[in-house]
């Protein structure tokens, strides 16, 4: 379950939008599913109209207007709670329970031990992406005139969502990994252009492929330019010889304008500081990289020609395949809670599939799907202070070889052996997620192996060993987690709240004033 929080100043505008037809008439049957008892007593689950929306907004705003309390930055708190499209729909009753529990955890209700703040939960059908969801609208002014604290409301909302996923048997999102989602207009823009996917996705794979194939920053820039992507550096303030970031864009059609994406906006692990952690750091290497950045910014030819312009030695296929086999054996001793190491391995493996896809797939295919899926494990919510450098076996050599693979044809036996070893690493990542009870991610990786990489294997020469795949126990585990009943709750008072300014008592020992709560 994904919470998304915004704040504002116009309660009437928010409720009118939630109860209205939406920007593209996507809202259907807008109605209340939960809210403060005094509001729910006067409004049932009938479809909301403009008059009802105005009355609800007025009641939500009453504490602020009666007591004259203003909050810098706005008093309107809005949070949507959405499920993934493939999770299906919940009933109104279940959404009501989830909404009440969520607002209890966030401190809006009497469960906080303080005066409640008025709130409602509105449901109006699926989003454009097909997600079942609700919207929570609340006043940040409590009934006694005190202010609800928005301090750390984003992480608090995430924590509350994780607890409710367990309580109600919903798919549990990983507290460890976090990926960048697409903005609502990106899919629509790609459809209008007739593109097979949003530019953010194709650029992410190109950057990931080039980063894992390159042995230094200068080579990374040259490889990225060879994919056809536009590249520009971001310099430190007042300098033109210190690069602190970068942006990339797909080359637009004639007459069009490029759409630029910063590396960190493509994926959390593709920001320039994180990429640099994989490359050697030396004054000469930094000078060569700056020269390549400047050439890219001015649209000039690369300053030097490196190994990206040459075919790698075919004898290296076996060496790098054996290295991935050793990597798989090394992973057997990596603890489940060593998230940085697992993310590092997933990033390199995803980069290998991205390199293969960039070299051989004219449109996104099964290799692109494999790269996208494994990249989700490569992105952490929090990264270690000291980045991990490759000290043992690595998949970076596989990226180098696969980046030079030929488009078309039936593939080679060397590629088939490399695929088998990469599948073993993907299986290890799957097993890590499964053992960590991250069943959703384990199931997604299993699906990727069985339904996408099996297509790749079918087009390559057969190899003696079989490819291990993830089993189907994850689905059974998810079904088992949905068992159980949810305890009921007291309906609360339906009488209109009494808005009385909180009285200030004597200061506490720390010098801060304590307020009384009266209802």
């Amino acid at each position: 379950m994904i919470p998304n929080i915004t704040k504002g100043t116009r309660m009437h505008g928010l409720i009118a939008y939630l109860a209205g037809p939406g920007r593209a008439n996507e809202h259907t049957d807008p109605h209340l599913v939960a809210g403060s008892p005094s509001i729910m007593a006067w409004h049932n689950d009938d479809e909301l109209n403009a008059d009802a929306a105005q009355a609800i907004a007025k009641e939500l705003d009453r504490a602020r207007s009666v007591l004259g309390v203003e909050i810098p930055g706005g008093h309107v708190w809005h949070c949507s709670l959405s499920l993934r499209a493939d999770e299906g729909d919940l009933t109104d009753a279940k959404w009501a329970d989830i909404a009440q529990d969520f607002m209890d955890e966030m401190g809006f209700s009497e469960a906080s031990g303080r005066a409640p703040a008025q709130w409602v939960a509105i449901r109006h059908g699926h989003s454009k992406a097909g997600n079942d969801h609700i919207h929570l609208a609340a006043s940040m002014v409590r009934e006694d005139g005190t202010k609800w604290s928005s301090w750390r409301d984003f992480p608090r909302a995430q924590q509350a969502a994780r607890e409710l996923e367990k309580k109600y048997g919903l798919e549990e999102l990983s507290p460890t990994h976090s990926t960048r989602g697409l903005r609502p207009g990106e899919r629509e823009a790609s459809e209008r252009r007739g593109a097979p996917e949003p530019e953010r996705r194709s650029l992410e794979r190109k950057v990931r492929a080039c980063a894992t194939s390159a042995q230094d920053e200068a080579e990374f820039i040259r490889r990225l330019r060879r994919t056809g992507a536009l590249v520009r550096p971001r310099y430190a303030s007042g300098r033109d010889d210190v690069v602190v970031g970068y942006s990339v864009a797909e080359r637009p059609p004639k007459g069009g304008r490029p759409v630029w994406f910063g590396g960190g906006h493509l994926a959390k692990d593709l920001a320039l500081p994180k990429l640099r952690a994989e490359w050697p750091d030396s004054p000469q290497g930094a000078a060569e990289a700056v020269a390549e950045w400047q050439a890219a910014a001015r649209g000039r030819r690369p300053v030097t020609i490196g190994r990206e312009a040459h075919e790698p030695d075919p004898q290296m296929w076996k060496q790098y395949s054996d290295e991935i086999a050793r990597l798989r054996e090394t992973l057997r001793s990596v603890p489940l809670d060593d998230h940085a190491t697992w993310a590092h391995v997933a990033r390199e493996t995803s980069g290998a599939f991205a390199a293969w896809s960039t070299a051989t797939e004219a449109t996104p295919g099964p290799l692109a799907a494999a790269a996208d899926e494994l990249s989700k494990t490569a992105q952490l919510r929090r990264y270690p202070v000291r980045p991990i450098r490759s000290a043992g076996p690595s998949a970076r050599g596989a990226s180098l070889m696969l980046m030079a693979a030929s488009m078309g044809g039936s593939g080679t036996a060397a590629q088939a052996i490399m695929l088998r070893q990469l599948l073993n690493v993907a299986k290890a990542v799957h097993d890590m997620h499964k053992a960590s009870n991250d069943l959703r991610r384990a199931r997604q990786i299993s699906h990727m192996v069985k339904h996408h990489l099996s297509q790749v294997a079918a087009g390559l020469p057969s190899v003696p060993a079989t490819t291990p795949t993830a089993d189907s126990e994850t689905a059974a585990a998810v079904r088992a987690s949905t068992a159980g009943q949810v305890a009921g709750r007291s309906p609360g008072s339906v009488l209109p709240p009494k808005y009385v300014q909180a009285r200030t008592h004597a200061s506490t020992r720390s010098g801060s004033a304590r307020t009384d709560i009266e209802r």
Side-chain angles (χ1 to χ4, degrees):
M1 187 167 61
I2 306 170
N4 184 34
I5 297 173
T6 57
K7 302 181 182 75
T9 59
R10 298 180 60 248
M11 185 69 77
H12 284 262
L14 172 61
I15 302 301
Y17 166 74
L18 297 178
R23 294 187 179 91
N25 294 317
E26 73 273 19
H27 296 174
T28 58
D29 186 25
H31 59 281
L32 295 181
V33 295
S36 297
S38 59
I39 295 179
M40 296 303 292
W42 292 92
H43 299 276
N44 54 24
D45 59 356
D46 291 342
E47 183 172 349
L48 297 175
N49 54 31
D51 292 338
Q54 184 176 7
I56 291 171
K58 186 176 181 180
E59 188 60 34
L60 291 171
D61 258 350
R62 192 175 298 278
R64 182 187 68 89
S65 59
V66 169
L67 301 176
V69 179
E70 296 296 335
I71 296 180
H75 69 289
V76 179
W77 191 83
H78 171 219
C79 178
S80 63
L81 297 177
S82 62
L83 305 179
R84 287 167 37 83
D86 56 9
E87 287 188 73
D89 295 351
L90 302 182
T91 63
D92 279 355
K94 195 164 188 177
W95 270 125
D97 289 336
I98 291 172
Q100 183 67 59
D101 282 347
F102 184 82
M103 298 305 274
D104 288 348
E105 290 293 329
M106 295 302 295
F108 283 97
S109 68
E110 291 177 325
S112 65
R114 305 186 62 185
Q118 296 289 81
W119 66 276
V120 293
I122 296 177
R123 188 183 188 190
H124 55 203
H126 291 170
S127 66
K128 292 182 180 179
N131 307 79
D132 189 18
H133 67 289
I134 60 172
H135 291 265
L136 298 159
S139 171
M140 296 168 63
V141 180
R142 299 183 184 275
E143 293 173 6
D144 63 354
T146 58
K147 300 174 182 178
W148 174 82
S149 174
S150 62
W151 182 74
R152 288 180 57 81
D153 58 344
F154 287 89
R156 285 160 50 200
Q158 292 287 347
Q159 180 61 34
R162 301 294 82 77
E163 294 299 324
L164 294 178
E165 287 166 354
K166 297 178 182 177
K167 181 176 181 179
Y168 290 95
L170 305 175
E171 287 195 15
E172 298 181 29
L173 298 185
S174 172
T176 304
H177 303 95
S178 175
T179 57
R180 303 285 189 192
L182 293 172
R183 296 191 181 99
E186 290 186 62
R187 285 193 176 90
E188 299 172 4
S190 64
E191 291 173 359
R192 287 195 301 269
R193 295 192 305 270
E197 65 178 345
E199 292 179 343
R200 185 195 296 262
R201 291 287 180 255
S202 59
L203 288 168
E204 178 187 344
R205 282 196 302 278
K206 288 180 179 179
V207 171
R208 194 175 296 282
C210 296
T212 53
S213 303
Q215 65 180 354
D216 55 40
E217 188 172 340
E219 182 183 337
F220 163 69
I221 302 162
R222 295 192 297 267
R223 284 188 179 276
L224 195 52
R225 295 182 68 185
R226 288 172 67 90
T227 66
L230 302 177
V231 185
R232 68 182 184 189
R234 178 166 59 86
Y235 295 106
S237 179
R239 303 288 296 269
D240 62 357
D241 59 345
V242 177
V243 178
V244 295
Y246 70 98
S247 298
V248 292
E250 294 286 11
R251 194 172 299 277
K254 187 175 182 180
R257 300 180 62 182
V259 179
W260 295 92
F261 296 91
H265 289 282
L266 294 176
K268 298 184 71 172
D269 62 321
L270 296 183
L272 187 57
K274 292 184 174 60
L275 296 182
R276 282 174 170 165
E278 297 292 332
W279 300 317
D281 185 13
S282 67
Q284 180 182 353
E288 293 174 353
V290 168
E292 294 294 353
W293 283 121
Q294 292 173 343
R298 296 165 183 165
R300 297 177 180 173
R301 292 182 177 181
V303 178
T304 59
I305 302 298
R307 62 176 189 166
E308 71 282 348
H310 307 287
E311 290 286 335
D313 185 353
Q315 301 298 322
M316 303 298 287
W317 279 99
K318 184 179 186 306
Q319 175 183 330
Y320 290 132
S321 294
D322 292 344
E323 185 174 3
I324 297 177
R326 293 196 303 273
L327 172 63
R328 173 65 184 91
E329 291 303 313
T330 302
L331 293 177
R332 299 184 189 278
S333 60
V334 176
L336 295 177
D337 58 357
D338 189 353
H339 304 305
T341 296
W342 285 109
H344 181 82
V345 170
R347 173 181 166 188
E348 290 188 347
T349 310
S350 172
F353 283 116
W356 202 351
S357 172
T358 300
T360 62
E361 292 181 330
T363 58
L367 293 169
D372 294 346
E373 198 59 59
L374 289 168
S375 71
K376 298 174 184 177
T377 302
Q379 302 175 63
L380 300 176
R381 295 187 185 276
R382 296 180 181 86
Y383 283 87
V385 176
R386 294 183 178 181
I388 293 179
R389 292 182 180 271
S390 298
S394 169
R396 299 181 69 85
S399 299
L400 171 66
M401 304 304 295
L402 294 170
M403 195 75 171
S406 301
M407 185 175 295
S410 59
T412 65
Q415 292 176 1
I417 296 172
M418 185 75 78
L419 174 63
R420 184 181 66 185
Q421 302 298 355
L422 290 172
L423 280 169
N424 288 337
V425 176
K427 177 63 164 57
V429 174
H430 162 273
D431 292 345
M432 178 274 295
H433 282 293
K434 185 177 179 182
S436 302
N437 203 34
D438 189 355
L439 302 181
R440 171 172 165 262
R441 289 290 303 117
R443 188 171 64 252
Q444 289 171 340
I445 294 175
S446 174
H447 181 274
M448 175 269 293
V449 171
K450 293 179 179 179
H451 297 275
H452 293 289
L453 292 184
S454 60
Q455 300 177 32
V456 181
L460 296 173
S462 60
V463 291
T466 58
T467 299
T469 58
D471 55 45
S472 60
E473 295 176 4
T474 55
V478 171
R479 288 194 297 270
S481 68
T482 62
Q485 298 293 325
V486 179
R489 62 170 51 84
S490 171
S493 172
V494 299
L495 297 177
K498 180 180 180 182
Y499 298 102
V500 180
Q501 187 73 41
R503 297 192 303 274
T504 303
H505 277 208
S507 297
T508 63
R509 212 178 323 182
S510 62
S512 60
R514 185 171 60 86
T515 58
D516 277 345
I517 302 171
E518 184 175 337
R519 182 177 173 87

